[in-house]
Structures are given as C-alpha cells and as structure tokens.
Amino acid sequence: MLFLARMDVTFPESMTDETKAEFTAQEKEYSGNLQRTGKMRDIWRVVGEYANYSVYDVADNDELHAILSGFPMYPYMKIKVTPLAQHPNAIK
C-alpha cells in the first residue's frame, strides 16, 4: 500500500539548538534506513517550511503507524496521511 505523508515539525521555543541538532542527526539515520529498505520511496522538503512530503510503501496502516511513530521527532510533528492508488491514466 502506498501512502503520502506530510510532516510539519514544530519544536518548543525552549528547546536548545544542541538538542535540535541531536534530533536532526537521529532523523537522518532513521529516514535513511527507511529509504534503504524501500519503506520510504521518496522524501521531498517543502521550500521555506520545516516540513516534508514522503511516500511510503508498506503492508498496511499498522505498519505505517509504527514507522511514523518511530521518528525521533514524532512528538513534535503534525502528520497528515493520504492513501494513494494508481491513477488509471498513469503510463508507468
């Protein structure tokens, strides 16, 4: 099953730059592993925002939930998930 997820990150104002940097490094490792395993097909940043769109290829809703809730920044994310289906006009 394919899903499109938009993730918007909002850190508390009280969070230090050092802590943000630690989260960023953890996120890079976590998302890199998802990409290497094919669970995350694509990731695109939203220009001018602390947000991204990513496409997931997973077995079901539960697997997607486990992946999303595993992100180190999950407590600071607003996530919108859209299920995807092949368009009948797609030539691929």
Side-chain angles (χ1 to χ4, degrees), residues 21-71:
E22 290 171 12
F23 273 116
T24 300
Q26 294 169 5
E27 286 280 317
K28 185 174 183 176
E29 181 179 349
Y30 186 77
S31 68
N33 288 335
L34 291 171
Q35 291 171 69
R36 282 186 282 281
T37 63
K39 296 296 178 180
M40 181 189 288
R41 281 190 173 188
D42 281 303
I43 183 168
W44 298 90
R45 65 182 172 169
V46 179
V47 175
E49 300 179 36
Y50 201 150
N52 75 73
Y53 283 99
S54 39
V55 177
Y56 294 88
D57 188 353
V58 295
D60 54 32
N61 296 335
D62 292 330
E63 183 180 14
L64 180 63
H65 181 76
I67 287 171
L68 296 178
S69 61
F71 275 97

Side-chain angles (χ1 to χ4, degrees), residues 2-33:
L2 294 178
F3 293 91
L4 175 69
R6 178 180 167 124
M7 299 179 199
D8 293 85
V9 179
T10 305
F11 289 123
E13 289 184 27
S14 61
M15 186 178 285
T16 66
D17 289 341
E18 182 180 285
T19 300
K20 290 177 190 175
E22 290 171 12
F23 273 116
T24 300
Q26 294 169 5
E27 286 280 317
K28 185 174 183 176
E29 181 179 349
Y30 186 77
S31 68
N33 288 335

